[in-house]
Amino acid sequence: MAYRRFEIERIARSAFNLSLALFDEDPRAAVEVGRRTVDLCRRFGFASLRLVALMNTAEVSVAVGDWGGIEAELATIDPDDLESTDRAALALALAELAAIRGRDVDAALEELRSAGEIHDPQSIAARGVGLGLVALAQGRFADAIREAEPAEADDLNAVGALIIRGRAATRLGDLAAARDALDRLAAVSSRGRAQDVQHDALAACVASLEGRWAEAAAGFTDDWRRLRDLRMDVGLAVSQLDCLAVAPVGDPLAEIAAREAREILEREGADGYLRQLDALLAERAAAGGSVRARPAGPATVGDAAPV
């Protein structure tokens, strides 16, 4: 019996390692393998491995969607049973999904505060990326940049932080900040197809902000094809929101982006991003020219004090 348990744990750890290896190459597969790992750990009582696998799966699922099972698993964990670092990671995962869902995040952020000080540099960086994603989903773009900035110097989290910076800068119409994020992201060694397509999607945003719409449109079209191939459904929809923020009013590509983004976001229940879609469409309907002509500035929607 003990030998069988040892073999099952070995299999679970192998699946966990495979999920990690797939993060930047095939996020959808990473989520699928991560779920199987979590299920195996739950059934055989590998609590510590289950927790880590669940946190990692929740993280990568942000760009994929299909969160129902992950949210159900997260709800079974009692934060009082966890050490402070794990409590903070759980609270952050709950806050990210709540923000994307358009739900209140106050309880999760209060739990994050109550977890206490975090001293590990990588954990601090991961928290910055997580809070940046929360702010991004809530439309607080200047806050997103500020929250994620501490992670930009961390090897493991720099890519995520720079993508947040570039995306938020695009939505603010801040060409200089978007270009800076793109240049710095290009200097980071590629870890896989998911990172490459996000870099290229940001390049399309920058091209449009620089007035090179034909080049940007070709870039968006190719990026969306690759995101569909990767089955990064929510990542695709969010890239289409970026396109709507910079595309000329009335451009056919923007109309395609709006339709597909709505279909994905409604299916996934991503109400936070749906609100942004509605706001972008209302802005475009009221605009006499390209929405990229609006001035850059620090104003955001619903700015809140940092955690």
Side-chain angles (χ1 to χ4, degrees):
M1 189 69 179
Y3 175 76
R4 180 171 180 266
R5 181 177 173 81
F6 170 80
E7 283 298 302
I8 293 170
E9 184 173 8
R10 184 181 62 80
I11 292 169
R13 291 193 179 278
S14 296
F16 171 75
N17 290 333
L18 175 60
S19 178
L20 289 180
L22 289 167
F23 263 39
D24 294 304
E25 184 63 26
D26 191 340
R28 173 73 67 171
V31 169
E32 292 168 353
V33 174
R35 280 178 167 165
R36 290 197 290 271
T37 305
V38 169
D39 180 63
L40 189 63
C41 290
R42 177 172 23 80
R43 286 191 287 125
F44 288 92
F46 306 134
S48 296
L49 184 58
R50 176 198 175 212
L51 179 64
V52 177
L54 181 56
M55 295 299 101
N56 287 339
T57 304
E59 176 186 341
V60 74
S61 76
V62 166
V64 170
D66 195 15
W67 305 295
I70 294 171
E71 288 179 311
E73 288 281 354
L74 290 170
T76 67
I77 298 175
D78 184 351
D80 292 336
D81 294 338
L82 305 177
E83 296 183 0
S84 60
T85 300
D86 291 336
R87 280 182 62 197
L90 173 62
L92 195 55
L94 291 169
E96 288 177 34
L97 292 177
I100 293 171
R101 294 285 206 186
R103 299 171 184 160
D104 183 71
V105 301
D106 289 350
L109 293 182
E110 180 57 35
E111 180 65 32
L112 181 59
R113 295 185 189 97
S114 70
E117 290 285 328
I118 298 175
H119 301 289
D120 173 60
Q122 203 163 82
S123 296
I124 292 171
R127 183 171 84 160
V129 169
L131 291 174
L133 289 171
V134 169
L136 207 59
Q138 292 182 320
R140 298 184 290 109
F141 302 117
D143 283 352
I145 293 172
R146 188 186 67 246
E147 295 284 15
E149 189 171 14
E152 292 176 6
D154 180 76
D155 288 343
L156 186 62
N157 292 282
V159 169
L162 290 170
I163 289 169
I164 290 170
R165 173 181 285 275
R167 176 156 282 154
T170 296
R171 301 294 294 277
L172 290 168
D174 187 339
L175 170 58
R179 164 57 72 181
D180 173 68
L182 178 63
D183 291 344
R184 292 165 64 191
L185 189 59
V188 178
S189 297
S190 174
R191 296 172 183 166
R193 292 183 296 167
Q195 178 180 329
D196 292 343
V197 73
Q198 293 192 79
H199 167 274
D200 294 347
L202 178 55
C205 293
V206 170
S208 184
L209 288 169
E210 291 178 339
R212 296 178 284 116
W213 173 246
E215 179 182 336
F220 280 125
T221 300
D222 182 62
D223 297 331
W224 298 346
R225 175 190 59 78
R226 292 153 64 196
L227 285 164
R228 293 184 194 103
D229 288 345
L230 286 167
R231 300 176 295 162
M232 293 175 63
D233 294 351
V234 177
L236 168 60
V238 173
S239 177
Q240 289 168 333
L241 296 185
D242 295 340
C243 174
L244 286 167
V246 297
V249 170
D251 189 271
L253 186 63
E255 308 309 316
I256 293 169
R259 286 196 300 271
E260 187 170 14
R262 185 173 298 282
E263 178 184 337
I264 292 169
L265 298 174
E266 287 182 347
R267 183 187 72 228
E268 297 295 340
D271 289 352
Y273 287 133
L274 271 171
R275 291 170 190 162
Q276 293 184 34
L277 173 60
D278 289 337
L280 284 164
L281 292 177
E283 180 182 0
R284 292 175 66 81
S290 170
V291 293
R292 69 171 180 267
R294 72 180 184 272
T300 59
V301 178
D303 276 348
V307 174

